[in-house]
Amino acid sequence: MPEPEVPDEYLEGYARILADVAATGRRLTRDELDARRLLGRGAAEAGFQLRALVGLHLTATRTAWPSTASADATSTDRVLAAVEQAVDAFAEGFERAQRLTVRREEAARREFIDDLLYGRSDLGRLAERATRFGLRLSRAHAVAVATGPEAYTETDSVPRTVEAALLARFGGRKILITTKDGRLVCIAPGSQPDVLRYFAKQSHAATDGGRVAVGRPHHGPGGVVHSYDEALEALDFGERMDLDEPVLYAADLLVYPVLTRDRQAMADLVRSQLGPLQRARGGAGPLLETLTVYFDAGCVAAETARRLSLSVRALTYRLERIHQLTGADPSDPMHRYTLQTAVIGARLLDWPAKEV
């Protein structure tokens, strides 16, 4: 698309100034400089390009030159100095207006992101504002959240690196990349999981091994905040459960919100099933770790012993001790589910470090 023609109104008084300078040798007055700045501001607000505006001034200078400057070198220097002053003031006004516009855009973007991720504002109005930032909230969206060793803002190198990588690969997609509460956030259409997978890969690398969580796709303006909350919850569960996976998917962790929905019931289960382990020599910690690794190893004794650096005989003794104290046999399928649920609850509630 060709750039729009710049109207002559942004040259108002310019030829007269050059003529006066050529005749008197004076410099531009403060009022003249302020007028040039005001014209630059107006040109920026109108959306014209600074390159085109500078070109317009140079063209006007060539046109006015024969009538404003003699062949005298001193007069030529005065006119060129006036051109420099006028263009510099014009550009200063232009750049000030641009910086103000950028700040306003950044503030509007941040306000929109806060409203979007906190579920504030009227949903219909939120959907209208979203189109300005490339999102169509009538469709399903999913949110990925990445954490690292430090808190990030949008101006930091890590978010910019991740954003550049995604835009280079998915430039035509409707994607919003931002930061919130020190974390990296990516919002993408729910029908494009490859975007969030790539975001997870880039974020994990850029944050030196940070963890990423991906919420499930949800429809409508409220769907983004729902998916965002799921991603945050997945990060929380990953930390509390000490999960090893660098990328967590909320869809794979749905059992944990179910288990923690009734905290009192879970606490009762932990106390009743695992409380007796506190009577063991050394407390409940070693036996609880044995159960945790046993269940993580698929209840395979040899693999559990290897992970715990124990002999199979020593592991068998621990399992028998657990059976004696709790009355539940970890190797019995009838008891296993209750014990494993209690172990998960203990990890979620940080028991026995904290009383439940």
Side-chain angles (χ1 to χ4, degrees):
M1 293 278 301
E3 293 183 2
E5 184 176 349
V6 182
D8 290 337
E9 64 185 85
Y10 297 111
L11 291 173
E12 181 181 349
Y14 182 66
R16 177 189 56 77
I17 290 173
L18 296 186
D20 199 18
V21 168
T24 65
R26 68 174 179 84
R27 294 177 63 83
L28 273 68
T29 66
R30 177 175 297 180
D31 288 343
E32 288 172 335
L33 291 173
D34 287 342
R36 306 321 301 170
R37 294 187 185 98
L38 189 60
L39 289 171
R41 173 182 173 182
E45 292 173 346
F48 294 108
Q49 298 295 317
L50 182 59
R51 182 180 61 181
L53 292 162
V54 171
L56 185 69
H57 279 76
L58 295 179
T59 300
T61 301
R62 288 199 305 270
T63 301
W65 192 273
S67 61
T68 59
S70 67
D72 180 75
T74 301
S75 178
T76 298
D77 288 342
R78 291 169 181 170
V79 173
L80 290 176
V83 170
E84 181 181 4
Q85 274 190 291
V87 173
D88 182 70
F90 186 93
E92 181 184 354
F94 184 96
E95 290 170 355
R96 284 180 181 177
Q98 275 202 327
R99 286 194 296 269
L100 181 60
T101 299
V102 168
R103 285 197 294 269
R104 287 173 177 168
E105 287 292 326
E106 290 175 347
R109 186 175 188 269
R110 175 48 55 188
E111 181 182 9
F112 165 73
I113 289 169
D114 289 345
D115 290 346
L116 181 66
L117 297 181
Y118 282 142
R120 296 195 300 243
S121 183
D122 174 75
L123 293 183
R125 174 65 182 145
L126 195 63
E128 292 178 7
R129 292 162 62 195
T131 58
R132 177 181 176 187
F133 300 98
L135 299 180
R136 297 180 182 178
L137 296 185
S138 59
R139 301 179 179 177
H141 286 81
V143 180
V145 180
T147 61
E150 58 188 272
Y152 303 106
T153 65
E154 291 191 353
T155 58
D156 292 335
S157 61
V158 168
R160 292 202 305 269
T161 298
V162 174
E163 182 176 24
L166 263 74
L167 294 181
R169 182 160 180 170
F170 305 108
R173 310 278 186 97
K174 302 295 184 181
I175 306 169
L176 179 61
I177 303 170
T178 184
T179 59
K180 184 65 181 170
D181 297 331
R183 307 181 186 94
L184 279 67
V185 178
C186 179
I187 304 170
S191 60
Q192 300 174 10
D194 56 325
V195 173
L196 296 185
R197 284 196 297 267
Y198 193 70
F199 169 80
K201 178 182 178 181
Q202 294 297 319
S203 299
H204 180 69
T207 57
D208 295 325
R211 176 170 281 172
V212 185
V214 182
R216 293 178 297 165
H218 295 282
H219 286 273
V224 171
V225 67
H226 191 176
S227 184
Y228 175 65
D229 286 343
E230 287 184 341
L232 293 181
E233 194 172 45
L235 285 174
D236 181 54
F237 286 134
E239 182 176 352
R240 289 158 65 185
M241 297 295 294
D242 196 24
L243 301 178
D244 294 331
E245 293 82 355
V247 182
L248 303 172
Y249 290 90
D252 298 334
L253 304 177
L254 292 177
V255 65
Y256 298 125
V258 173
L259 293 176
T260 57
R261 196 158 293 157
D262 190 338
R263 190 182 188 282
Q264 188 56 52
M266 178 58 71
D268 290 341
L269 177 65
V270 171
R271 282 195 299 267
S272 64
Q273 290 295 312
L274 303 179
L277 298 181
Q278 292 179 307
R279 300 198 302 267
R281 183 181 300 175
L287 295 182
L288 180 60
E289 181 189 15
T290 299
L291 283 174
T292 300
V293 176
Y294 182 66
F295 292 132
D296 287 347
C299 301
V300 178
E303 176 61 19
T304 304
R306 187 189 66 80
R307 294 185 186 186
L308 291 172
S309 300
L310 296 173
S311 66
V312 174
R313 183 174 181 178
L315 172 66
T316 302
Y317 171 78
R318 286 194 182 186
L319 294 178
E320 289 175 352
R321 184 61 176 148
I322 291 169
H323 188 186
Q324 293 171 0
L325 291 170
T326 66
D329 183 359
S331 63
D332 186 339
M334 294 294 293
H335 298 164
R336 188 180 301 159
Y337 175 76
T338 302
L339 270 179
Q340 187 168 8
T341 303
V343 168
I344 293 173
R347 294 168 74 178
L348 290 173
L349 299 177
D350 196 20
W351 183 90
K354 297 180 180 177
E355 288 293 331
V356 295

